[in-house]
Amino acid sequence: MIRPIYVYGSEVLRAKAAEADLSDKDGLTGLITDLKDTLARADGCGLAAPQIGVSLRVLIVDGTVMGDVYDYLKDFRRTMINPAIVEESAGKCEYDEGCLSVPGVYCPVTRPEKITVEYFNEDFEKVTEVFERFACRMVQHEMSHLDGVLFTDLVAPIRKKIIAKKLQNISRGKVSAHYDTKLK
């Protein structure tokens, strides 16, 4: 089912998401289906459960939409339940980020260039995986949502001043997107 995407100013985006109960396989499978359907409608490359109003540690990333730009992403899709970064590189890289919950805003964000993540996949199998390049960026961005952190929190102070009016408008419901949004 396609759900509305909660936008900047919504409380659910600022809460630390709870661990998902792995014994609730039917509930998690339904949530994952809703995340996939909603992401496909929105044409994004990642979506975390809090973005559809569910404060659980579940996310999906889909790099296939970037496959024409980054060939190594043409088959990259991941579902992550209860992901945790267990290692990150000292090296950092900067890249412009955007977010379905902050439509029309793009800013450079510095993050580790390589991470190791432990998570459960949609078959409820434990996985440990290393991510680099843009895949690493997508995973970190979505994992930030699980901790109530938006990419706009991570930008330089001067950039925050530049985007302040846009963020204020979004938080007041003045938002334009080609997908359904919600503010609560």
Side-chain angles (χ1 to χ4, degrees), residues 36-165:
K36 288 179 178 179
D37 292 347
T38 304
L39 182 62
R41 169 67 178 92
D43 296 322
C45 62
L47 194 63
Q51 292 180 271
I52 61 170
V54 180
S55 192
L56 288 177
R57 299 186 76 77
V58 179
L59 65 86
I60 60 172
V61 289
D62 184 348
T64 62
V65 296
M66 303 288 290
D68 57 335
V69 178
Y70 303 112
D71 185 56
Y72 60 91
L73 293 177
K74 66 182 178 187
D75 296 318
F76 182 80
R77 287 185 182 95
R78 297 292 185 278
T79 298
M80 298 181 172
I81 304 167
N82 297 333
I85 295 174
V86 294
E87 188 176 345
E88 63 182 45
S89 67
K92 309 283 186 198
C93 61
E94 185 178 82
Y95 190 87
D96 273 3
E97 291 187 24
C99 182
L100 296 172
S101 291
V102 192
V105 177
Y106 301 89
C107 298
V109 177
T110 301
R111 296 187 188 264
E113 60 189 5
K114 181 178 175 182
I115 58 172
T116 303
V117 180
E118 285 183 354
Y119 64 94
F120 290 89
N121 64 20
E122 62 189 300
D123 295 321
F124 302 95
E125 302 163 330
K126 191 167 189 177
V127 176
T128 301
E129 189 170 4
V130 175
F131 297 99
E132 299 179 271
R133 301 186 284 181
F134 197 75
C136 181
R137 173 73 46 168
M138 290 188 300
V139 170
Q140 289 180 86
H141 178 103
E142 298 311 324
M143 285 185 70
S144 289
H145 279 294
L146 304 180
D147 292 324
V149 176
L150 298 174
F151 81 98
T152 53
D153 300 332
L154 306 175
V155 302
I158 187 70
R159 180 67 63 175
K160 285 182 184 179
K161 287 182 179 182
I162 293 169
I163 63 172
K165 185 69 171 173

